[in-house]
Amino acid sequence: MFPEDFDGIVAGTPALDFNNLQSWRASFLPITGSNTSSNFISKSTWATIIHDEVLSQCDGLDGVVDGIIEDPHRCHFRPEVLLCQDENQARCITSKQVDSIRKVFSPLRGEGGKLVYPGMQPGSEVKAAELLYAGKPFSNSDEWFKYVVYDPSWNASSFNQHDATVAEALNPSQIRTWPSNLSRFRDQGGKLITYHGGQDDKITSFNTERFYEHLAHGMKASSTELDYFFRFFHIPGMFHCNSGPGAWVFGQGGGMSAAGVPFEPSNNVLAALVHWVEDGVAPKYIVGTKFINDTVELGVDYQHRHCRYPLRSTYKGGDAKVVSSWECL
């Protein structure tokens, strides 16, 4: 709305398509049921039985077994593998729980089958079970519908497709945040970097990829043309904004996310933006750092090259903890 306000922006884990984001978050309670229902999936089941099977099916797809799904799009998780075959079987789930998992990882569609929001990416379930799959209203979406869209009598367990339609049509204060054209920002020399963790537990990273494609379509721009002013970096193994098993330290947000890494364009996303805006050198990739036990004083565990979309970090061979063992392709 105000393209001249900034000449450079870092937008991490963006809450794009805001109305539909709140509907997507609200959709999980009807899927999981309350935490007292007979088929509710507990946090411990998500974190062990289900997450272990997700990794078993998808971790090695990139050629490295390291507890990280490099590209969640390649993970087509089959929860039916975990279906209990008899009442004495351990580490298994019911048919209704299998159905719930399928719905969790599926896109939310509204009235008429229109896409409301992409599905959650596999690999995020350990943290997502703490809030989104907790069997109770997610506070942000609950308050959104009670105090912005409807009134305090609204019941989160009753969320349905029509609620998503109402919220999107209302679009209070033009909060949608789903532009299809940023040419004014581009034309005045603006540069935009965004990033999103591949194990984000609060906003699916698939939506940021969706935004990239949405913008490309709206501006009739190729990836090369978008690269002139907009670059999106996928961060494998990062939770919401920070932390996780991946190389998640690259200067985002300051604090722990900047501790221990130099303020250099190759290692720090803010430094990369400054270098792009002030010197005209766009970041081809950003190197993330993972410290041992996430403690700077213990030293670096490994580093990883995070690629700009639509390129993917691809394993070439050798020690997977060495940056040069991966290439952006």
Side-chain angles (χ1 to χ4, degrees), residues 64-82:
V64 178
V65 177
D66 55 2
I68 298 170
I69 300 173
E70 190 72 27
D71 182 359
H73 272 297
R74 297 180 62 191
C75 180
H76 304 290
F77 181 56
R78 296 175 293 108
E80 62 272 16
V81 171
L82 295 171

Side-chain angles (χ1 to χ4, degrees), residues 37-314:
S37 62
S38 59
N39 284 291
F40 176 72
I41 302 174
S42 68
K43 176 182 173 181
S44 61
T45 298
W46 278 109
T48 54
I49 297 173
I50 298 171
H51 184 63
D52 289 350
E53 184 59 31
V54 168
L55 292 182
S56 175
Q57 293 184 27
C58 300
D59 182 9
L61 293 175
D62 59 359
V64 178
V65 177
D66 55 2
I68 298 170
I69 300 173
E70 190 72 27
D71 182 359
H73 272 297
R74 297 180 62 191
C75 180
H76 304 290
F77 181 56
R78 296 175 293 108
E80 62 272 16
V81 171
L82 295 171
L83 183 63
C84 294
Q85 299 303 314
D86 62 69
E87 60 182 19
N88 297 317
Q89 184 179 349
R91 292 181 63 84
C92 65
I93 57 178
T94 68
S95 60
K96 289 185 177 180
Q97 290 174 329
V98 167
D99 185 56
S100 293
I101 295 169
R102 286 199 183 104
K103 290 178 179 177
V104 160
F105 290 137
S106 296
L108 173 63
R109 296 197 175 275
E111 295 175 314
K114 182 180 179 180
L115 176 68
V116 174
Y117 219 74
M120 180 62 94
Q121 71 275 308
S124 60
E125 49 280 344
V126 174
K127 294 284 288 182
E130 297 176 1
L131 290 174
L132 289 182
Y133 316 157
K136 56 185 180 182
F138 182 71
S139 60
N140 288 7
S141 55
D142 187 43
E143 293 172 3
W144 171 254
F145 280 100
K146 283 183 175 179
Y147 305 117
V148 179
V149 178
Y150 293 129
D151 60 61
S153 67
W154 184 76
N155 187 333
S157 64
S158 69
F159 174 84
N160 57 37
Q161 294 173 317
H162 185 64
D163 293 328
T165 300
V166 172
E168 175 66 355
L170 183 63
N171 189 29
S173 300
Q174 302 296 306
I175 200 171
R176 181 175 291 115
T177 320
W178 193 241
S180 60
N181 193 314
L182 295 177
S183 58
R184 289 176 61 196
F185 177 73
R186 176 201 63 196
D187 293 346
Q188 63 92 29
K191 307 299 182 186
L192 171 62
I193 294 176
T194 189
Y195 58 84
H196 208 135
Q199 288 182 218
D200 192 315
D201 51 289
K202 295 181 178 66
I203 304 175
T204 176
S205 63
F206 291 157
N207 194 57
T208 304
E209 296 182 12
R210 173 180 167 237
F211 173 67
Y212 183 99
E213 300 298 340
H214 171 72
L215 195 62
H217 178 76
M219 297 182 70
K220 296 180 173 58
S222 65
S223 292
T224 300
E225 290 168 326
L226 282 184
D227 273 352
Y228 174 75
F229 78 100
F230 173 44
R231 300 201 171 193
F232 161 47
F233 295 89
H234 173 74
I235 315 297
M238 186 173 80
F239 297 152
H240 185 65
C241 297
N242 55 50
S243 68
W248 62 269
V249 179
F250 53 96
Q252 75 280 24
M256 284 298 295
S257 298
V261 297
F263 192 75
E264 298 290 342
S266 60
N267 299 88
N268 185 295
V269 67
L270 180 57
L273 180 68
V274 171
H275 194 39
W276 193 6
V277 171
E278 297 185 357
D279 304 319
V281 181
K284 294 182 178 180
Y285 56 82
I286 296 175
V287 175
T289 300
K290 175 70 173 179
F291 291 101
I292 298 171
N293 295 333
D294 288 332
T295 304
V296 174
E297 291 74 18
L298 295 179
V300 174
D301 182 359
Y302 72 96
Q303 292 184 310
H304 189 77
R305 181 185 288 118
H306 302 312
C307 304
R308 71 186 190 279
Y309 186 85
L311 302 179
R312 296 293 183 185
S313 187
T314 304

